[in-house]
Amino acid sequence: MTRRRLVTFSKACTIVPTYECFNRCTYCNFRKDASGWISLSKAAEIARTNRDAGATEALVLSGEVHPKSSLRRHWIAHTVEICKVAIQNGLLPHVNVGPLSWGEMKELTKFSVSMGLMLEQVTDKLMASVHRRAPSKDPSLRIEQLHLAGQLKIPFTTGILVGLGEEECDWKTSLNCIAAVHNKYGHIQECIIQPFRPGDRGYISGPKLNAFHSEALPYVVSLARKILPTEIAIQIPPNLVLSDTDRRKGLELVFRCLEAGASDLGGISPVDEVNPTYAFPSITWLREVLLLEGFELMHRLPIYEQYIPWIQKAEKFEHLQRLFPVYKQGNSAKSTPKS
């Protein structure tokens, strides 16, 4: 009997501290002016509702406050409180709020099980085009963030965004950068291969980009699988891969990406806040269609199993420690991270 291949995902909800952001990426479909900051009571409501629906992850995803703003310290403190609220309501926080200082990362990791930041692309040329009004997209800042996370022993998610005007050599350089940082610290759980898809919220400034050519995606996944250490899972976002108007073609693309080396579908939540135009497929439907192709869809936590000892050894919020016995761990890589 042929053994089914495992594909993992995290059942998640997203809590957004604020949609306001000092960056002006030309392709952004997340940022909103004058959105205000979410209240802790609203964050608790989101956490409880999604916990009761079976979620285990709270993705704390925020627009960025300028590092020199007088509000920066209050924003970090508010984000910490949101993490605490998520924990108190039975969810494990995964934090992705942009580049942080050493002190900010150290504070936030006390109240989260993992963190993340997309590397996007390491080429400087995007700073003259799509990122020309987005200072925190400076590749050097993002590379530094990967190193800080490794030094602080934070289980980390990163990835590349493809279709911004970069070239194939940029994909390879970016993936090699991720591999090199992981080989030094052993902390990168997963690498997202995210295709650019244009959204409905319009563009802040600059020329519109063309959508990434879908047919190239399995090739990028295969590159990632060749370049990255085997213990790093390769993630594809199913809503973006399935975005082709022909659902059959979209499914074929998902299967080709899995055959090329992808093994994770990321956090599936009610809304993809970064790409709200593209709804996530239902978990039940995904499980059924994957099963027909010989794949078994399994739930995982926002921290991969091999990194749980890192959290248990750290000085973590006591309620965070108590949550681990509640969850049964799904599939994860079998390798042991560097100590």
Side-chain angles (χ1 to χ4, degrees):
M1 187 178 197
T2 304
R3 185 176 180 181
R4 295 192 185 100
R5 291 161 290 180
L6 297 176
V7 179
T8 54
F9 79 101
S10 172
K11 189 164 185 181
C13 67
T14 307
I15 303 176
V16 180
T18 181
Y19 292 92
E20 297 173 6
C21 186
F22 79 94
N23 287 314
R24 301 290 191 277
C25 302
T26 65
Y27 52 86
C28 182
N29 284 286
F30 171 84
R31 182 185 178 277
K32 298 177 185 177
D33 288 320
S35 71
W37 294 10
I38 194 173
S39 67
L40 295 182
S41 61
K42 180 62 177 178
E45 178 187 341
I46 293 170
R48 284 193 300 270
T49 299
N50 285 276
R51 176 204 63 199
D52 293 346
T56 56
E57 173 182 350
L59 167 58
V60 181
L61 176 75
S62 185
E64 299 176 43
V65 173
H66 195 286
K68 294 183 179 179
S69 170
S70 60
L71 295 175
R72 178 85 177 192
R73 179 171 58 86
H74 301 291
W75 170 65
I76 293 293
H78 188 59
T79 303
V80 166
E81 291 304 313
I82 289 170
C83 290
K84 290 181 181 179
V85 163
I87 294 165
Q88 290 159 0
N89 285 280
L91 297 180
L92 297 171
H94 170 84
V95 175
N96 189 330
V97 296
L100 299 165
S101 69
W102 171 279
E104 290 167 344
M105 289 192 82
K106 191 171 183 180
E107 183 64 19
L108 280 165
T109 193
K110 293 177 185 176
F111 306 99
S112 59
V113 296
S114 55
M115 298 179 72
L117 182 72
M118 290 290 282
L119 179 60
E120 297 202 355
Q121 293 291 340
V122 298
T123 175
D124 289 330
K125 67 186 176 185
L126 299 182
M127 295 303 294
S129 56
V130 294
H131 292 156
R132 70 181 183 277
R133 297 177 62 198
S136 82
K137 294 300 179 80
D138 184 331
S140 64
L141 290 178
R142 301 202 155 227
I143 294 169
E144 178 186 32
Q145 195 78 165
L146 298 186
H147 283 278
L148 289 180
Q151 292 163 18
L152 288 166
K153 297 184 73 66
I154 298 172
F156 209 74
T157 294
T158 190
I160 62 172
L161 183 54
V162 292
L164 298 181
E166 78 289 342
E167 300 174 20
E168 180 177 337
C169 60
D170 299 318
W171 303 338
K172 294 178 180 178
T173 302
S174 299
L175 290 166
N176 274 303
C177 175
I178 293 169
V181 176
H182 176 80
N183 285 334
K184 186 171 184 178
Y185 304 105
H187 66 305
I188 295 177
Q189 302 189 120
E190 55 198 0
C191 176
I192 305 169
I193 308 299
Q194 180 175 325
F196 167 71
R197 297 286 185 244
D200 295 333
R201 289 186 185 170
Y203 292 76
I204 293 170
S205 64
K208 290 189 176 184
L209 293 167
N210 295 320
F212 175 74
H213 196 283
S214 299
E215 288 302 307
L217 192 61
Y219 174 67
V220 184
V221 169
S222 70
L223 276 181
R225 190 64 287 163
K226 291 175 183 176
I227 292 171
L228 297 175
T230 56
E231 63 266 27
I232 297 179
I234 296 174
Q235 181 186 124
I236 53 170
N239 58 323
L240 301 184
V241 180
L242 287 165
S243 65
D244 196 299
T245 53
D246 185 329
R247 180 51 66 97
R248 180 183 58 82
K249 289 183 179 179
L251 269 176
E252 289 176 357
L253 189 61
V254 169
F255 299 143
R256 287 172 57 200
C257 287
L258 294 174
E259 294 289 353
S263 62
D264 187 77
L265 301 182
I268 296 179
S269 60
V271 177
D272 182 344
E273 293 285 357
V274 175
N275 295 282
T277 306
Y278 304 96
F280 282 111
S282 78
I283 294 168
T284 300
W285 180 81
L286 272 174
R287 182 171 282 116
E288 290 173 353
V289 296
L290 286 172
L291 193 61
L292 291 174
E293 293 295 320
F295 297 98
E296 182 177 357
L297 186 63
M298 291 191 66
H299 179 260
R300 62 163 174 81
L301 299 181
I303 177 173
Y304 281 44
E305 186 174 8
Q306 69 266 31
Y307 291 97
I308 290 178
W310 285 18
I311 299 297
Q312 291 170 332
K313 290 177 183 178
E315 296 179 2
K316 291 283 181 178
F317 193 49
E318 61 181 26
H319 295 299
L320 187 59
Q321 296 277 18
R322 293 171 186 168
L323 284 179
F324 283 110
V326 175
Y327 300 120
K328 287 187 177 181
Q329 184 67 23
N331 181 56
S332 62
K334 301 301 181 183
S335 60
T336 303
K338 297 177 182 179
S339 60

